[in-house]
Amino acid sequence: MAQTMGTDLLPELDLQVQTAFRAAMGHVAGPVSVVTTLAAGTPAGTTVSAFVSLSMEPPMLLVSLMRGSHLLSLLSVGTAFGVNVLGAHQADLATQFTGRHDQRFAGVEWHLCDGAPRLSGSHAWVGLRVARLVPAGDHVLVLGDVVSADADGEAPLTYHRRSFGTHLDAGPEH
């Protein structure tokens, strides 16, 4: 029978596991997106790399947001939000949306799509409605029902080992 570790771990071991986990996850390349919503007529958004397709029937997406995030405070069941998957040329935009929340849309071109801000030039767009908010550790999982989706076919922006990059096709022989 496998033995599981509980919450009685020593703090030093917890820190070792957290450090090792952070380093391991840094070696996983992931897409970069800006999650957006509109609250009282004001756009809000934040850069995330933790989002995944959750279901095809019905179409759903999962986004992970930090518990203290300003964007999360604006979301509730039924709220419109969007996932703007950034293109390889949008690393500056990814960085801008990690700064002060009141400056994130400064100089950014966007338009309202499906009730949420859609950033111009994004690689892909998914418009959603919040279906459920699920607490998970120091984050909240935002489960969203997809209302629209679109992609331009250009190269995506990725994040790997603390730097931005893009996908390289390994070719048909791989």
Side-chain angles (χ1 to χ4, degrees):
M1 175 186 267
Q3 186 175 14
T4 60
M5 296 183 175
T7 57
D8 59 341
L9 292 173
L10 297 173
E12 304 86 44
L13 182 57
D14 283 345
L15 182 57
Q16 289 173 348
V17 170
Q18 286 176 350
T19 301
F21 180 62
R22 181 173 285 115
M25 293 311 298
H27 288 274
V28 177
V32 181
S33 69
V34 172
V35 177
T36 58
T37 195
L38 195 67
T42 302
T46 193
T47 299
V48 303
S49 59
F51 74 97
V52 296
S53 168
L54 180 62
S55 169
M56 288 295 166
E57 293 183 30
M60 293 183 77
L61 194 104
L62 178 152
V63 175
S64 181
L65 296 174
M66 289 179 52
R67 281 187 186 266
S69 112
H70 173 69
L71 182 67
L72 179 61
S73 72
L74 303 174
L75 299 179
S76 60
V77 172
T79 303
F81 72 106
V83 174
N84 297 269
V85 182
L86 300 183
H89 63 285
Q90 294 180 302
D92 289 344
L93 196 58
T95 301
Q96 181 169 337
F97 275 86
T98 63
R100 289 185 34 197
H101 71 80
D102 61 340
Q103 297 295 315
R104 292 181 181 175
F105 277 86
V108 174
E109 288 186 37
W110 64 276
H111 64 276
L112 200 60
C113 186
D114 306 310
R118 181 174 178 173
L119 307 180
S120 297
S122 293
H123 168 69
W125 162 260
V126 181
L128 305 120
R129 295 267 177 216
V130 175
R132 192 165 168 209
L133 301 168
V134 180
D138 59 359
H139 281 62
V140 171
L141 305 178
V142 181
L143 309 184
D145 292 320
V146 175
V147 297
S148 72
D150 183 38
D152 70 7
E154 297 296 320
L157 182 66
T158 60
Y159 192 71
H160 177 250
R161 297 179 74 179
R162 297 183 182 251
S163 65
F164 294 115
T166 194
H167 170 77
L168 296 177
D169 191 350
E173 65 277 357
H174 295 285

